[in-house]
Amino acid sequence: MGKTIAFIGLGIMGTPMSGHLLKAGHEVIGFDLVESAMEDVVAMGGRRAASSKEASAEADIVISMVPDSPHVEAVYLSDDGVLAGAKPGTLLLDMSSISPVTAIKVAKEAAERGCSMLDAPVSGGQVGAEQATLSIMVGGEAEVFEQAKPIFEIMGKPTHCGPSGAGQTVKACNQIQVAMNFIGLAEALVLGVKAGVDPAIIIQVLSGGYAQTRVMDVRGPRMLEGDYEPGFRASFHYKDLNIIREAARAYSASLPASNLAHELFTAMMANDWGDLDHSAVVKVIAQLSNADLPFEK
Ligand code: NAD
């Protein structure tokens, strides 16, 4: 039977995700702070609400897909937020990428109001959201995960990662690895360029051996053309590197390379490159060595 789902945060990811829920026969009540962001959901057959509180009041399930920890706190904990409107027993699924520390805090407050909450960040990007092939990393109680699984399966492939916060921790791990891959590729290309080797040859050769990565397969050819259209915005990866630093502090993990990645992404923000794809970190590495990227547009 179709459920009533409040979907809060109808941006690049939330809009196609809510579209899949509608297609699967669920009723969707959308809310976004930006009025125009709700137009697509209404066009696809959903309804719009005036606040997170109003959207949640009628819902069996609430899904949120907003940028960062402060937005999630505002969506759930403010006076016109989800916990002010949702009935006890409502299932709460936060799919934003935020700090595990905040995820645990908000889930505790939800439990005090009689609602179960899972953290369920995703990887796979806009294409994954559009094609319903997201990898969904879930933290929370196993029984609640089983309850939510059919809903997650409409949007992608869920994996139960452990207790509350574990989904966000695994997402942070994912973002560490992706940042390292991009920085490694950037340094390889800059060294090659400085030494006079064609960067296309570097990608071709590295792709055939142990150095091959998905990052290089997907973004390498575009980097050679100076194409930094996002993909995944550098400003979002910068946000995720801040989440990683916060989690590392909270759990006493020393992550030297992640801190270096944070500094390189800080340089991207300082150069106003936050709206470029995260592969554009190569521009920072090139700048350090005064390297002329032949693949710059
Ligand atoms: P987006 O900026 O396109 O959309 C976020 C939406 O949330 C916006 O429309 C904004 O108006 C809305 N919003 C913010 N605060 C709100 C509030 N208090 N109440 C209601 N609405 C609010 O971002 P996105 O690309 O859809 O990303 C959402 C989340 O998914 C982020 O945490 C991001 O890191 C994560 N993510 C994104 C991608 C990607 O490729 N874009 C990939 C994986 C994960």
Side-chain angles (χ1 to χ4, degrees):
M1 204 183 77
K3 303 271 187 201
T4 301
I5 302 176
F7 205 113
I8 298 161
L10 296 161
I12 291 178
M13 301 293 284
T15 297
M17 289 162 73
S18 58
H20 293 303
L21 296 169
L22 281 162
K23 263 186 256 150
H26 299 291
E27 188 188 1
V28 173
I29 307 173
F31 174 66
D32 195 291
L33 283 182
V34 177
E35 187 70 27
S36 59
M38 295 184 275
E39 284 165 9
D40 284 347
V41 120
V42 172
M44 291 185 291
R47 282 194 277 147
R48 78 174 79 201
S51 66
S52 295
K53 180 180 174 181
E54 188 186 294
S56 308
E58 291 177 53
D60 306 306
I61 298 168
V62 176
I63 299 180
S64 48
M65 195 54 168
V66 294
D68 200 356
S69 306
H71 308 91
V72 169
E73 293 195 82
V75 163
Y76 285 91
L77 308 180
S78 64
D79 288 345
D80 60 357
V82 173
L83 294 186
K87 304 178 286 279
T90 308
L91 181 57
L92 312 178
L93 312 174
D94 177 42
M95 303 188 75
S96 328
S97 303
I98 66 162
S99 158
V101 178
T102 306
I104 293 167
K105 177 185 148 186
V106 177
K108 266 194 191 140
E109 297 224 17
E112 279 164 20
R113 316 269 177 105
C115 296
S116 302
M117 182 161 186
L118 299 174
D119 46 291
V122 306
S123 70
Q126 185 177 3
V127 173
E130 285 167 358
Q131 297 179 351
T133 55
L134 293 168
S135 170
I136 307 173
M137 297 154 258
V138 188
E141 287 172 23
E143 313 83 80
V144 183
F145 171 73
E146 288 306 324
Q147 214 184 318
K149 205 171 162 195
I151 297 294
F152 288 140
E153 282 172 344
I154 295 168
M155 298 175 279
K157 188 174 178 301
T159 303
H160 186 227
C161 300
S164 183
Q168 295 296 352
T169 300
V170 175
K171 172 68 182 177
C173 296
N174 185 77
Q175 295 306 81
I176 291 175
Q177 185 64 9
V178 174
M180 298 306 151
N181 283 334
F182 273 122
I183 293 164
L185 177 57
E187 291 195 356
L189 292 175
V190 167
L191 174 63
V193 166
K194 291 288 281 192
V197 178
D198 180 354
I201 295 288
I202 297 171
I203 290 196
Q204 185 192 321
V205 175
L206 269 54
S207 296
Y210 210 28
Q212 182 268 346
T213 62
R214 178 110 164 251
V215 151
M216 186 153 55
D217 292 348
V218 174
R219 291 308 305 199
R222 292 188 220 178
M223 288 166 81
L224 294 179
E225 289 172 9
D227 175 3
Y228 302 116
E229 273 295 307
F232 187 72
R233 277 191 183 77
S235 59
F236 265 153
H237 212 136
Y238 174 66
K239 170 199 71 125
D240 292 341
L241 287 159
N242 279 310
I243 289 170
I244 290 158
R245 273 155 59 106
E246 190 187 328
R249 265 198 303 279
Y251 299 113
S252 197
S254 174
L255 306 178
S258 295
N259 273 291
L260 176 59
H262 177 269
E263 295 310 296
L264 295 170
F265 275 77
T266 301
M268 292 188 79
M269 304 303 289
N271 280 284
D272 215 10
W273 294 333
D275 282 336
L276 301 182
D277 186 72
H278 45 172
S279 55
V281 72
V282 71
K283 287 162 75 76
V284 174
I285 305 289
Q287 201 178 50
L288 288 173
S289 299
N290 193 25
D292 276 332
L293 299 184
F295 36 95
E296 188 73 84
K297 253 181 193 163

